[in-house]
Amino acid sequence: MVRHKTRWLLVRFDFEPDVVYGSQRPSTATNEAVFYGGRRDTDVRRSGMDAITRKDVYKTLQESLVFNFGISASGAAQDTQVRLYDSKTRLAMIRVPREFCNLIRSAITFITIIDKNPVIVRCISVNGCARTAKMVAIKEVKKSFRSNLHHQLQEVDDTLPAGDEKLIRKECKELDELLNVIRTMD
């Protein structure tokens, strides 16, 4: 029996409000017109970015492969799996066949829109086994959590009312759940 060798890609999705506003995102959903791809779209809302799933990422990756490399590249997408996508940290772990790794990485960089939301996609790391991919993903999730927590603490001037302590406990619980999902992923 022949072992199928794979690569694991850790990918970050930066949506337009994240890039434009940085860490100071607007608190409400915007309904402003956004220009991209040579057209004007008014359906870009913050709530739509949070509704993106693993299936949306996979479908967009397939479309990017076919659009940029033709129908012959669609075979590369057959063995590709989006194993994890977290809408809060906007990280995805994608398992790809080793022989198509470079093709899929380049298709990822060509993705500019996911579900009518403008996006910049970056490949953070490429790993040869699931264990090292999980370690890098855990490191990135913790880094994202620390930066979000630091930003929240700066907003309240390091004094935490009772409601903020509950918010931080909730964030820590969500972090722990996400880390458990990453650890137990096969």
Side-chain angles (χ1 to χ4, degrees), residues 11-16 36 39 41 43-45 47-64 82 85 90 92 94 107-108 110-122:
V11 179
R12 178 179 303 278
F13 295 85
D14 293 322
F15 292 96
E16 185 186 40
Y36 62 92
R39 61 188 177 136
D41 195 343
D43 293 333
V44 178
R45 293 183 177 86
S47 60
M49 290 178 266
D50 295 332
I52 292 175
T53 64
R54 291 182 341 177
K55 290 180 182 180
D56 295 329
V57 173
Y58 179 73
K59 185 182 90 174
T60 305
L61 178 59
Q62 274 187 323
E63 291 169 357
S64 177
V82 178
Y85 176 74
R90 302 207 171 99
I94 303 172
I108 285 172
F110 290 136
I111 295 174
T112 57
I113 297 171
I114 294 181
D115 201 24
K116 295 185 180 180
N117 293 303
V119 66
I120 297 171
V121 185
R122 296 182 296 143

Side-chain angles (χ1 to χ4, degrees), residues 22-100:
S23 61
Q24 300 174 349
R25 298 182 205 134
S27 58
T28 59
T30 60
N31 197 14
E32 300 171 358
V34 177
F35 292 93
Y36 62 92
R39 61 188 177 136
R40 182 181 178 129
D41 195 343
T42 57
D43 293 333
V44 178
R45 293 183 177 86
R46 180 135 188 87
S47 60
M49 290 178 266
D50 295 332
I52 292 175
T53 64
R54 291 182 341 177
K55 290 180 182 180
D56 295 329
V57 173
Y58 179 73
K59 185 182 90 174
T60 305
L61 178 59
Q62 274 187 323
E63 291 169 357
S64 177
L65 278 166
V66 171
F67 180 77
N68 293 305
F69 301 107
I71 198 158
S72 63
S74 65
Q78 297 303 318
D79 293 333
T80 302
Q81 300 173 344
V82 178
R83 300 300 294 247
L84 173 76
Y85 176 74
D86 181 51
S87 61
K88 187 164 188 161
T89 59
R90 302 207 171 99
L91 289 174
M93 287 183 70
I94 303 172
R95 183 177 160 197
V96 302
R98 183 177 68 175
E99 60 271 8
F100 297 120

Side-chain angles (χ1 to χ4, degrees), residues 138 173-185:
I138 288 171
K173 185 177 180 180
E174 289 175 2
L175 171 68
D176 190 42
E177 290 171 358
L178 178 59
L179 293 177
N180 284 334
V181 166
I182 292 172
R183 286 185 190 114
T184 58
M185 188 175 58

